[in-house]
Amino acid sequence: MGTVALKGVQKSFNETPIVESLDLDFPDGSFTVLVGPSGCGKSTTLRMIAGLESVSSGSISIDGKDVTELEPRDRNIAMVFQNYALYPHLSVLENIAFPLRATKTPRDTARKRAQDIADSLGLGHLTHRKPKELSGGQQQRVAIGRAIIREPSVFLFDEPLSNLDAKLRVETRSELLAIQKGLGITSIYVTHDQEEAMTLSDRMVVMREGKIAQVGTPAEVYATPANVFVATFVGSPKMNIIAGTMDGTAFTSHNGESWSFTSSHTGDVLVGLRPEDLTLKPAENGPGVIEQIELLGPRAVVSVALGEQKLVSVVEAEPLATLASGQKVTVEFAAEKAHVFDGSSEERIEKVAIS
Ligand code: ADP
């Protein structure tokens, strides 16, 4: 078991609110990623769950038991950090078995358990090595093994992969996901990297300035971002945002470009368009001008200037063959692909496009 519940959890440092009244449930066995830009309060939230940081108000429970005032060691959680701090003089096996020293587990039992865990993590043949004889990804797996051996109810990960190079990060990420799924231990994972959040999580909690901006599966958050912040934070290249007005039959940008757009909503809006949803077609009189084409294998990221407005489109190989830098183009999109946000609150407006 490993359900975690935060109720009205709030944290201030020197009277400055850092985390504002969070209500969040983490179901047993789930993998939730807390994601958001640096400084939004992700680590502070994780550290409060771990008991490394006190809460200013609110309560935290694990498996229905209030742990708000308990010491970290009494919460049955295991935390994996970016700096995995293995003991350099101990072997892989001894590092994994280390937490059992304090529990007076017989030495043979501890070694057997550590060996089983090392096997399950693909480290079985490396158990005699010292940490410095391992790659960064292998060292991180030893740190995970050391966390697993305590049989925690909950795993907490604080940017565990950020010290690894890009290739190793992607590999270790899929290994970590496989380990978590295999063990079924409730996991809460902090990262500032939206791509990591998208690929790892069952559920993402997108945070902004100490508040929850949106909670949902990666697919939900990508398809229906709740506001402009989430829309532009999740997805790469970033969603295009065009400020303008809707009058029921057209959307006209503040730059003066107009697209026909039948809608029930009128007034100032921000229209969001994913780069893959913009269509560029060569046209002698523009109004767009291609500024740059960045090849990414079969497709390309194409930057277009539409007057003052800069837009980015992801173009597949076939239409790409008709485009070149400096060329004039039309910029089109299907109305149902447009994400429409209120011009002042920047919150999503549902059911805008009628056709
Ligand atoms: P994140 O993990 O999202 O990058 P943190 O939770 O580490 O953000 O920090 C959120 C904010 O709280 C930051 O502005 C940070 O400077 C501040 N903060 C974190 N820890 C402390 C502390 N012990 N004392 C004062 N301010 C802190």
Side-chain angles (χ1 to χ4, degrees):
M1 281 290 285
T3 59
V4 179
L6 309 189
K7 286 206 179 62
V9 168
Q10 195 265 331
K11 178 73 184 177
S12 298
F13 286 115
N14 312 321
E15 320 269 302
T16 309
I18 296 296
V19 173
E20 297 188 27
S21 196
L22 290 189
D23 288 306
L24 270 176
D25 285 313
F26 302 88
D28 187 33
S30 62
F31 197 134
T32 305
V33 176
L34 306 182
V35 62
S38 183
C40 71
K42 310 176 292 290
S43 296
T44 303
T45 303
L46 199 74
R47 291 169 59 78
M48 287 192 286
I49 298 170
L52 298 170
E53 200 74 75
S54 63
V55 304
S56 301
S57 60
S59 68
I60 299 173
S61 61
I62 298 179
D63 287 336
K65 177 180 167 193
D66 191 330
V67 299
T68 318
E69 302 299 329
L70 294 188
E71 292 295 321
R73 65 173 177 275
D74 299 327
R75 294 189 182 202
N76 204 18
I77 46 115
M79 193 147 175
V80 180
F81 296 95
Q82 167 182 340
N83 299 315
Y84 20 79
L86 300 176
Y87 299 105
H89 58 289
L90 299 184
S91 69
V92 165
L93 195 77
E94 289 160 341
N95 264 285
I96 295 176
F98 193 83
L100 296 185
R101 284 193 183 180
T103 64
K104 305 204 168 57
T105 308
R107 192 180 149 82
D108 284 353
T109 313
R111 290 182 75 84
K112 168 86 176 56
R113 291 245 324 264
Q115 183 66 48
D116 288 347
I117 288 170
D119 288 344
S120 73
L121 295 173
L123 296 167
H125 58 300
L126 302 171
T127 45
H128 59 283
R129 290 208 190 162
K130 296 279 162 57
K132 70 171 190 305
E133 296 164 327
L134 301 177
S135 71
Q138 290 166 337
Q139 290 183 28
Q140 187 56 288
R141 273 186 274 159
V142 177
I144 292 169
R146 198 171 60 184
I148 293 172
I149 205 161
R150 295 173 40 205
E151 299 182 346
S153 300
V154 183
F155 261 140
L156 304 177
F157 296 97
D158 194 355
E159 304 249 3
L161 308 182
S162 52
N163 276 354
L164 306 180
D165 68 41
K167 183 168 172 285
L168 202 53
R169 198 157 58 224
V170 172
E171 279 172 27
T172 315
R173 184 163 84 194
S174 18
E175 286 170 9
L176 194 96
L177 191 58
I179 294 167
Q180 195 272 343
K181 292 287 164 231
L183 294 169
I185 297 179
T186 311
S187 299
I188 309 175
Y189 186 107
V190 160
T191 179
H192 64 276
D193 180 341
Q194 60 89 24
E195 191 192 310
E196 201 161 285
M198 296 283 284
T199 48
L200 275 175
S201 62
D202 300 332
R203 191 175 63 141
M204 342 176 18
V205 175
V206 186
M207 291 182 67
R208 180 194 196 186
E209 294 173 2
K211 297 197 192 82
I212 296 174
Q214 187 166 7
V215 181
T217 65
E220 283 163 359
V221 171
Y222 189 81
T224 52
N227 47 54
V228 171
F229 169 77
V230 175
T232 52
F233 182 74
V234 171
S236 177
K238 265 184 13 177
M239 185 188 279
N240 298 287
I241 301 290
I242 308 175
T245 311
M246 278 186 177
D247 66 6
T249 57
F251 166 61
T252 307
S253 76
H254 292 333
N255 271 335
E257 300 303 328
S258 203
W259 291 267
S260 84
F261 198 107
T262 309
S263 68
S264 52
H265 183 86
T266 56
D268 276 356
V269 291
L270 295 160
V271 165
L273 293 158
R274 295 265 177 223
E276 59 271 26
D277 295 332
L278 279 186
T279 308
L280 309 177
K281 289 199 183 126
E284 258 179 39
N285 298 321
V289 180
I290 295 185
E291 294 198 319
Q292 199 184 358
I293 298 181
E294 223 179 302
L295 276 179
L296 291 180
R299 56 180 73 91
V301 176
V302 179
S303 310
V304 184
L306 196 59
E308 301 279 288
Q309 177 98 42
K310 305 286 182 195
L311 297 171
V312 170
S313 171
V314 171
V315 182
E316 298 296 325
E318 206 176 310
L320 187 62
T322 68
L323 303 177
S325 201
Q327 186 171 8
K328 293 198 170 155
V329 289
T330 56
V331 178
E332 291 160 32
F333 57 87
E336 71 271 15
K337 298 287 188 186
H339 302 257
V340 183
F341 304 98
D342 184 274
S344 48
S345 71
E346 303 197 349
E347 294 296 314
R348 182 181 195 85
I349 304 169
E350 288 297 346
K351 299 200 177 71
V352 169
I354 295 173
S355 68

